[in-house]
């Protein structure tokens, strides 16, 4: 059976409010959650940027949900620091925590002052970090010289079971490359034809069975309200790679003021005032082959959506 989870967006909501939101998400029937890990929002309209790692400890302690986060080792975070955080949460909350390891976005990583590498360099750096993190989680003492440097690192708290390391991907090529090392695949809602190809190529490359989908939705009592929420909060997030990797936050805001169309917003977000329609469209995406689906209502006010989802959407999906 597909697991349905709640996505907690640190870029849009304060960590204090998000903690209350995730507690409510469990109360209304969600059985899992995940969160983003950004230093910056995509726009000033979103306006928040809580740190994921301390929040995850509080969220895991405050609920019985499983949790995951998408993070980027290699520039803003040294891979040993990421491994230390993963192992600590995994040791405190056995079997309830996973991490998706990506190559990052310039909006968050540029703060180190280091140059933003080309995509192929970022991907190679990520793969070095994945190797370092995996060996540390297995209890090894690790030294490494390459795109990242590690000197005799060892973790003294080892999680059992080892938290899953997931490959996040928007493109098919990135998914195929991650199949060689990851315990699962995570992607976002996009053209079903692209998702079908991604899943098929992942399987052909020997990827693990675990497949995660994050679905952006915007719900409100009327269609106009639902679209207004999506346009206000998510029009800075409609850009395909490489723009979404390479822009800084001021650039996101500037570009999103230049003629974003309703069609672009609708391609990125499932927008509806009809909870039955939303449930049907989410179900159709899950049926492509995902065993975990995380729903992200792109508005900043989560309570009305969570209560509506608990009453009308989750019962349809889980039946």
């Amino acid at each position: 059976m597909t697991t349905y989870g709640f996505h907690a967006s640190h870029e849009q909501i304060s960590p204090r409010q998000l903690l209350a939101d995730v507690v409510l998400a469990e109360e209304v029937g969600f059985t899992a959650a995940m969160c983003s890990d950004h230093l910056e929002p995509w726009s000033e309209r979103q306006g928040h940027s809580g740190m994921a790692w301390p929040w995850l400890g509080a969220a895991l302690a405050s609920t019985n949900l499983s949790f995951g986060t998408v993070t980027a080792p290699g520039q803003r975070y040294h891979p040993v620091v990421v491994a230390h955080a993963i192992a600590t949460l995994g040791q405190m909350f056995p079997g309830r925590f996973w991490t998706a390891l990506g190559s990052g976005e310039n909006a968050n990583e540029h703060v180190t002052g280091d140059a933003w590498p080309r995509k192929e360099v970022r991907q190679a750096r990520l793969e070095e970090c994945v190797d370092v993190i995996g060996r540390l989680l297995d209890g090894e003492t690790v030294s490494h010289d390459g795109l990242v440097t590690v000197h005799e690192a060892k973790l003294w708290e080892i999680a059992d079971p080892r938290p899953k390391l997931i490959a996040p991907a928007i493109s098919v090529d990135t998914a195929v490359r991650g199949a060689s090392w990851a315990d699962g695949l995570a992607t976002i809602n996009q053209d079903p034809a692209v998702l079908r190809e991604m899943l098929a190529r992942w399987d052909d490359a020997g990827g693990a069975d675990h497949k995660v989908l994050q679905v952006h939705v915007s719900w409100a009592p009327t269609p106009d309200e639902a679209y207004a929420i999506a346009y206000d909060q998510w029009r800075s997030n409609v850009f395909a790679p490489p723009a979404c990797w390479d822009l800084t936050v001021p650039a996101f805001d500037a570009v999103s003021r230049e003629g974003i169309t309703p069609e672009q917003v609708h391609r990125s977000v499932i927008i509806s005032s009809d909870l039955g329609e939303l449930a049907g469209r989410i179900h159709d995406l899950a049926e492509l082959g995902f065993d975990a689906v995380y729903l992200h209502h792109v508005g900043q006010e989560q309570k009305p959506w969570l209560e509506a989802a608990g009453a009308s959407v989750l019962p349809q999906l889980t039946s």
Side-chain angles (χ1 to χ4, degrees):
M1 180 177 288
T2 303
T3 295
Y4 288 95
F6 168 71
H7 174 77
S9 180
H10 285 287
E11 302 82 14
Q12 297 178 272
I13 302 166
S14 74
R16 181 188 301 172
Q17 182 59 51
L18 267 185
L19 188 58
D21 290 338
V22 82
V23 169
L24 178 58
E26 182 178 36
E27 291 174 0
V28 303
F30 286 96
T31 57
M34 66 176 290
C35 75
S36 47
D37 178 18
H38 276 218
L39 183 66
E40 297 273 4
W42 287 281
S43 76
E44 292 185 2
R45 297 182 312 281
Q46 294 172 332
H48 291 278
S49 186
M51 190 180 191
W53 296 96
W55 183 88
L56 281 161
L60 282 155
S62 299
T63 71
N64 293 306
L65 302 174
S66 64
F67 275 84
T69 191
V70 183
T71 195
Q75 188 158 327
R76 181 166 54 106
Y77 291 138
H78 192 278
V80 175
V81 174
V82 174
H84 198 189
I86 294 170
T88 299
L89 289 175
Q91 198 270 348
M92 288 194 295
F93 306 102
R96 290 177 56 201
F97 180 65
W98 56 268
T99 309
L101 301 172
S103 59
E105 296 173 346
N106 192 31
N108 303 298
E109 309 304 320
H110 72 87
V111 295
T112 64
D114 296 331
W116 181 235
R118 301 185 311 277
K119 172 60 177 175
E120 58 267 29
V121 177
R122 299 199 305 272
Q123 191 65 37
R125 182 175 66 183
L126 169 64
E127 289 162 0
E128 290 185 17
C129 291
V130 166
D131 179 67
V132 167
I133 291 167
R135 291 167 62 195
L136 288 168
L137 293 177
D138 287 338
E140 295 183 32
T141 299
V142 178
S143 293
H144 178 85
D145 295 296
L147 293 169
V148 293
T149 301
V150 179
H151 178 67
E152 295 181 1
K154 178 180 174 64
L155 298 181
W156 292 90
E157 296 295 341
I158 300 300
D160 183 17
R162 190 179 104 162
K164 290 183 183 296
L165 302 180
I166 306 297
I170 296 175
S171 72
V172 173
D173 289 344
T174 300
V176 170
R177 190 158 178 172
S180 63
W181 60 261
D183 299 314
L185 169 70
T187 189
I188 62 173
N189 60 287
Q190 51 186 312
D191 186 334
V194 174
L195 293 176
R196 289 189 192 94
E197 181 185 2
M198 182 182 294
L199 294 174
R201 294 277 301 282
W202 172 267
D203 289 341
D204 290 344
D209 289 339
H210 185 41
K211 295 157 186 169
V212 174
L213 179 68
Q214 183 190 108
V215 180
H216 304 305
V217 304
S218 182
W219 172 82
T222 71
D224 287 346
E225 290 175 288
Y227 178 76
I229 289 169
Y231 182 78
D232 176 67
Q233 286 292 297
W234 216 244
R235 70 177 184 268
S236 301
N237 301 65
V238 301
F239 307 110
C244 60
W245 300 329
D246 295 339
L247 293 174
T248 62
V249 168
F252 269 111
D253 272 330
V255 174
S256 68
R257 284 194 293 267
E258 299 299 323
I260 298 301
T261 66
E263 290 74 18
Q264 286 175 286
V265 179
H266 278 278
R267 282 198 297 268
S268 297
V269 185
I270 300 176
I271 303 170
S272 181
S273 61
D274 185 330
L275 292 167
E277 179 193 6
L278 276 177
R281 293 180 65 181
I282 294 164
H283 175 267
D284 289 347
L285 290 170
E287 287 291 292
L288 296 175
F290 295 97
D291 59 285
V293 176
Y294 292 84
L295 305 183
H296 172 209
H297 172 57
V298 300
Q300 292 182 301
E301 178 65 38
Q302 295 292 306
K303 184 178 179 181
W305 154 250
L306 286 170
E307 291 176 343
S312 299
V313 177
L314 292 177
Q316 293 183 67
L317 292 173
T318 56
S319 65

